[in-house]
Amino acid sequence: MNVHTEKAAIREFLQTHFSQFETELARKLAEHSVLREFESDEQLMRPGQYFKSTMLIVQGGVKLYREDQDGNEFFIYQLGPGNACALSMICATKKEQSQISARAVELTKAILVPIALMDELMTSYKSWYYFVLETYRSRFEELLLVVDSIAFRSMDERLEFYLKNQQRLLNNDEIPITHQQIAVDLNSSREVVSRLLKKMEQRGMLRLGRNTIKIIT
């Protein structure tokens, strides 16, 4: 992709997924940002990494995880088109290392906005200022939902909540995912997840396929 084509693609993605940005802001982002493509399961962030840019997701999806000292992962939340990574904004602005990891769940495209622009964008463009505040608020609310799920829900309730959230993020009743992936995200075992999914299928809530789950109700 040449520079002209890349800039045109960025402008089109911004118009589609970030229409709240004023024309001048969209022009500046297209001029200074780059468009990156990530393959499914490709890692976008690693613990200890420093950021030179923040990401605006325009296609696909990204899951964020917290890792312990043994490399075990705990699912935090997922980003889709129209979302930005609040943690990358914070770490990049404060020049701090990332404490989380992130992976693409499918072929994903993101606009990478240089962190050197952040101060100017915050002071010069109200739509960017409010977008950053809304991004922080949305991600914080998602973290609260995760905490509530762990603290107050049984495993079957957590699984149902997780699947409905995936359905909403993908805007699709058919979710391409394995039982093992769900187990990792819910910090459970594949056997427990498979047993609960089978019960949900028997109750007519979903239909299990090969590496897919179709939500019925």
Side-chain angles (χ1 to χ4, degrees):
M1 182 183 297
N2 60 43
V3 174
H4 178 75
T5 303
E6 180 184 39
K7 301 307 178 185
I10 291 175
R11 287 193 295 270
E12 184 175 348
F13 279 128
L14 288 172
Q15 185 175 10
T16 300
H17 299 293
F18 299 91
S19 58
Q20 71 271 38
F21 292 166
E22 57 256 59
T23 303
E24 179 59 25
L25 172 58
R27 185 200 63 77
K28 192 170 192 67
L29 290 173
E31 179 181 352
H32 294 283
S33 303
V34 296
L35 185 64
R36 278 285 309 276
E37 184 173 286
F38 302 91
E39 297 296 330
S40 178
D41 207 38
E42 183 175 349
Q43 197 160 22
L44 285 69
M45 304 180 200
R46 296 175 177 82
Q49 173 184 347
Y50 287 98
F51 294 98
K52 296 182 179 179
S53 59
T54 191
M55 295 184 296
L56 307 179
I57 308 300
V58 295
Q59 180 180 311
V62 177
K63 285 184 177 181
L64 282 80
Y65 298 88
R66 173 77 164 159
E67 291 187 6
D68 66 15
Q69 294 180 341
D70 298 322
N72 298 312
E73 295 179 329
F74 182 82
F75 174 65
I76 305 175
Y77 55 72
Q78 183 169 336
L79 302 173
N83 295 152
C85 180
L87 292 174
S88 70
M89 288 180 174
I90 295 170
C91 290
T93 302
K94 299 179 69 176
K95 297 181 180 179
E96 293 181 348
Q97 293 178 321
S98 170
Q99 300 298 316
I100 52 96
S101 63
R103 285 197 305 274
V105 297
E106 56 184 319
L107 180 65
T108 296
K109 292 182 180 180
I111 297 172
L112 305 188
V113 182
I115 197 58
L117 283 181
M118 286 292 287
D119 286 344
E120 179 185 351
L121 296 179
M122 288 291 287
T123 56
S124 300
Y125 302 98
K126 284 188 176 180
S127 62
W128 180 265
Y129 174 81
Y130 289 120
F131 171 72
V132 171
L133 291 183
E134 176 61 20
T135 295
Y136 290 163
R137 185 196 65 79
S138 297
R139 301 296 86 80
F140 179 70
E141 287 187 352
E142 289 175 353
L143 285 174
L144 288 180
L145 288 174
V146 171
V147 172
D148 287 347
S149 175
I150 296 170
F152 306 118
R153 297 174 187 258
S154 61
M155 180 55 70
D156 56 341
E157 290 174 325
R158 289 176 59 194
L159 178 58
E160 183 177 352
F161 173 80
Y162 173 87
L163 292 174
K164 287 182 177 179
N165 196 41
Q166 292 294 305
Q167 179 187 31
R168 177 184 60 82
L169 288 168
L170 297 173
N171 193 28
N172 197 327
D173 291 339
E174 189 163 324
I175 305 169
I177 197 167
T178 66
H179 295 192
Q180 181 60 39
Q181 288 172 316
I182 297 174
V184 170
D185 288 353
L186 296 182
N187 198 28
S188 183
S189 68
R190 184 186 60 79
E191 292 76 15
V192 169
V193 168
S194 295
R195 184 174 69 252
L196 292 175
L197 286 172
K198 191 63 178 177
K199 287 183 179 179
M200 293 173 72
E201 184 178 42
Q202 291 169 350
R203 289 159 56 190
M205 300 173 64
L206 52 81
R207 185 163 60 246
L208 300 175
R210 182 175 178 81
N211 296 335
T212 62
I213 297 174
K214 183 174 179 60
I215 307 298
I216 298 176
T217 60

